[in-house]
Amino acid sequence: MSRIAYVNGRFLPHNSSAIHIEDRAMQFGDGVYEVIAVVGGKLIDVELHYDRLARSLRELNMEMQIPRVALHLTVQEVVRRNRIGEGICYLQITRGSAPRNHAFPSDPRHSVVVTARRSQPASGRVGRLGVYVITTADLRWQRRDIKSVSLLPNVLAKQNAAETGAFEAWLVDKNGAVTEGSHSNAWIVNRDGTVITHQEDVDILSGVTRRRILEIARTDGMEVVEREFTVGEAKDAQEAFLTSTSSFVVPVTRIDDTVIADGCPGSVTKRLRCLYLEAIKQPSFVSV
Ligand code: PMP
């Protein structure tokens, strides 16, 4: 079955869909995006994703030009036309095409692209067995809270990881603190059983999955602290894991050359993963 993409008002064959060469995403990385999981044909946590999209746009002086309802209908249609059972839906909104000039165009018409693809269920092997991550310098700009399509430092970090067979790269700031992964949020569980993840600020993307896991952990009575943690602390932790829309909750069993605890997914991580997989079946997580 050939894939269908939505581009600026039209549903097109994926292979021949395109945006203009002077689109500002192409020229300057001037745009934002969202990634939404599809499970059992249903979109997970769409409202939180649309809220974050609206916020990213606002932070870049790009008010939404497409009403949320229309955007949602488009997203649903792309998922339907591509017959996605388990997969991922991508939304990209750019400041549109204009003659090349760093300053904003006076009357921008945003480009809107929605695509979807099937993927292995995030509930699969990786999530059960755990992964290896490397640490690498966080080379990004100072507004990581904006989900910008300018992802070059993330791409370079992930390439470093891929070259060593790692699943993810954890990004480390000048003070030795782990901010997050190249495309996921980073967590540890210390020897007291406290669940720790970087506080929500401009240094990290406020992950939708991160937010849900915080809620789930607190509701389950776990001790949770949002604060920075160092690479040393992570390597000495009882457990480590990462969260994202595309992989849910994934145990981290090795960081660089250090095996975490006994090298097996930890019990807190497994519990959070299990509770999350249950939670996404609830109506409050799923779009209608
Ligand atoms: N941080 C970064 C840098 C990311 O790219 C992602 C994935 N979008 C995340 C964290 C996790 O966010 P979410 O749970 O919303 O997918």
Side-chain angles (χ1 to χ4, degrees):
M1 194 198 84
S2 53
R3 291 173 63 195
I4 302 292
Y6 171 90
V7 183
N8 291 335
R10 295 196 299 159
F11 293 94
L12 300 168
H14 191 271
N15 285 342
S16 55
S17 56
I19 55 168
H20 196 272
I21 52 168
E22 282 196 308
D23 193 278
R24 290 181 62 93
M26 165 83 174
Q27 302 282 1
F28 303 113
D30 187 0
V32 300
Y33 76 110
E34 273 300 324
V35 184
I36 307 175
V38 183
V39 178
K42 300 251 167 50
L43 289 147
I44 305 299
D45 259 338
V46 277
E47 292 305 329
L48 293 181
H49 285 284
Y50 296 150
D51 286 347
R52 187 171 63 185
L53 180 68
R55 179 182 183 281
S56 293
L57 288 167
R58 252 192 333 268
E59 292 299 310
L60 296 176
N61 282 321
M62 294 167 68
E63 287 307 320
M64 278 269 220
Q65 292 182 347
I66 173 168
R68 188 181 284 219
V69 176
L71 184 64
H72 185 51
L73 289 174
T74 306
V75 165
Q76 281 181 314
E77 186 60 13
V78 170
V79 169
R80 192 189 69 77
R81 288 193 188 212
N82 288 282
R83 299 202 211 134
I84 309 291
E86 308 289 320
I88 287 292
C89 183
Y90 286 93
L91 272 91
Q92 283 149 307
I93 301 186
T94 83
R95 209 182 300 271
S97 75
R100 193 171 193 282
N101 177 354
H102 285 62
F104 298 166
S106 53
D107 188 18
R109 274 195 55 202
H110 297 169
S111 298
V112 180
V113 174
V114 183
T115 58
R117 67 174 160 81
R118 292 181 189 160
S119 61
Q120 291 295 321
S123 49
R125 206 167 170 274
V126 156
R128 281 198 313 278
L129 300 182
V131 296
Y132 149 50
V133 304
I134 58 160
T135 58
T136 187
D138 193 340
L139 302 177
R140 297 173 302 160
W141 71 327
Q142 292 171 13
R143 289 301 307 274
R144 296 108 179 220
D145 56 314
I146 300 172
K147 199 163 169 61
S148 154
V149 296
S150 300
L151 288 170
L152 197 48
N154 308 56
V155 166
L156 296 177
K158 176 71 185 202
Q159 180 59 22
N160 269 343
E163 282 169 13
T164 56
F167 180 82
E168 175 61 302
W170 277 10
L171 308 175
V172 183
D173 71 13
K174 283 194 235 112
N175 305 319
V178 175
T179 50
E180 60 184 331
S182 72
H183 58 105
S184 58
N185 288 112
W187 303 69
I188 59 171
V189 182
N190 73 9
R191 285 166 190 264
D192 302 332
T194 306
V195 179
I196 304 167
T197 193
H198 196 288
Q199 67 278 5
E200 191 176 352
D201 59 19
V202 292
D203 289 339
I204 66 160
L205 183 77
S206 171
V208 168
T209 324
R210 172 189 179 280
R211 188 155 153 186
R212 288 302 202 176
I213 291 297
L214 285 172
E215 272 169 30
I216 288 170
R218 287 182 173 130
T219 307
D220 198 52
M222 295 178 187
E223 184 68 32
V224 182
V225 179
E226 292 175 71
R227 67 158 172 85
E228 289 177 0
F229 59 86
T230 63
V231 175
E233 247 186 301
K235 291 183 177 175
D236 192 43
Q238 193 58 39
E239 300 183 28
F241 61 96
L242 57 86
T243 57
S244 76
T245 293
S246 52
S247 49
F248 301 163
V249 178
V250 174
V252 171
T253 51
R254 181 179 144 202
I255 303 173
D256 298 325
D257 288 333
T258 305
V259 171
I260 304 305
D262 63 359
C264 296
S267 57
V268 173
T269 306
K270 285 198 286 195
R271 176 156 181 81
L272 286 171
R273 197 176 124 69
C274 183
L275 291 172
Y276 184 78
L277 294 176
E278 274 308 305
I280 58 174
K281 296 182 194 149
Q282 304 305 315
S284 58
F285 275 63
V286 170
S287 74
V288 281

